[in-house]
Amino acid sequence: MLLPACTEAMMDVDSADAQPAVSKSAAETLAQAASRIADRLREFEGLLRNQEATHAVEDANAGCLPAAGHIADRLEAVLKEASAATGCDAAGLYLLDADTSHLKLRSCFGLPKSRLAQPPRALRGALGDLEALVSPVVTIEDIPRMPHWESPEERGAAIVVAIRGGDLPLGTLWLWDDQPRDITSAQQASATLAAGRIAAELEREVIGTKAAEQAEVRDELRAAAAWQSRQLPPAVPLDKDWDVAGWNEAAEAVGGDWFAWDILPDGKIAIAIASVGASGIESALTAATARSAWQSHTGYRHKTNQVLSRVNDTLWQTSTGDQSTSLLYVTVDPETGEGQFSSAGTCQGLIVNRYGYRMLASPTEPLGRDPDVRPLVHTMRLLPGEALVLVSQGAIASNGAPESGRLTQQTLTDSIRHELVNGPEPALSCLRRLFAQAGPAAADRSIAILQRQ
């Protein structure tokens, strides 16, 4: 038999002289590239594993997002132990989505990690999962002969158990054996215990996440409270023979009460106190808006009612009519003690001397409820030795009888009268002790005292 010419030519070539198809440097480059691809693939699988475990907690607990990482290790450890306890070769945790219409593999053991990237499978028609959600445990002892159970993996046998959070179904746990076999009651019990441990791990992660979120919120509220405290003016003499001091306590972490004083461009003393009708964060935001508006409108010539009207305009334009604010604003000529004031809402003003007291304001409509509020201007005079006391509604009992966290008007004024000779700061110290005895604050409470020596 004759060989083709090309075959003969190939046989004549010495094998030692044959050149490799790829050079050594090129082969090294290809090997390095393959190694990098393998490293990236392992990195991707690790990220995918953690991501799916994170989504598992989200699925089970209405969007609570845990820190990724450790939950993936714990879930996989439970699946590994469950497989060993039941004599199975692989396990998969499937959790329902928000619509409870699909099941997604969130963690696995004994399966390629690439399974985690597979799309969710529909719950409808998944007989094994549906039966497990209504029965204690489902056993499939010969998967090839029982295809109607719709096993997600082509294995020999399986145990299916529901994962529950309280009375709510969260998903299913599948445990597979490579070969068909009988499944004992002890193995079924082990699978049920594993499902309970998985639910506990998910709940533990959410509790830890919520605790961290609450701690973060508390830190933010403390920062907001500190900011509010810094906005309150210091107790320093405003003019010769004029002393001022104030005290504020919020019923919650942040509050809606504030007071302020200043020297106006015309030389008059300005003092104000305000209280927001809402509570918590809402009150703090409204209080900041009202204070900013008050501050911006006291820098030019004005009457007290004009400032209140402009604060009301600001509150009305920045809200839907639910940011009601009580505000009492007073200006005093330090030379004569004569002044004017306007009020809206329930903040009270009193002039206290060693003989008694007299009221300045009566309750009116608060700011922020009506765009057409028209506060009135009233006149007053502060004599030497007298103190102007501004009080928010949360600090004083409304009906004259003792109330938890509040002082009666008589108790408050008597305490101030006894300390007038010592100044406003000692008077406030005495009041703070009385408030502590009256009980915890039921509402934000504030007091500002302007005293003429």
Side-chain angles (χ1 to χ4, degrees), residues 19-31:
Q19 296 295 322
V22 180
S23 66
K24 180 178 180 181
S25 59
E28 290 176 348
T29 302
L30 288 173

Side-chain angles (χ1 to χ4, degrees), residues 13 37 44-45 123 142 167 172 200 232 277 281 294 339 359 401:
V13 176
I37 292 173
F44 168 76
E45 288 180 344
L123 178 60
D142 194 336
D167 294 331
T172 54
L232 299 175
I281 294 294
W294 176 83
M359 297 290 298

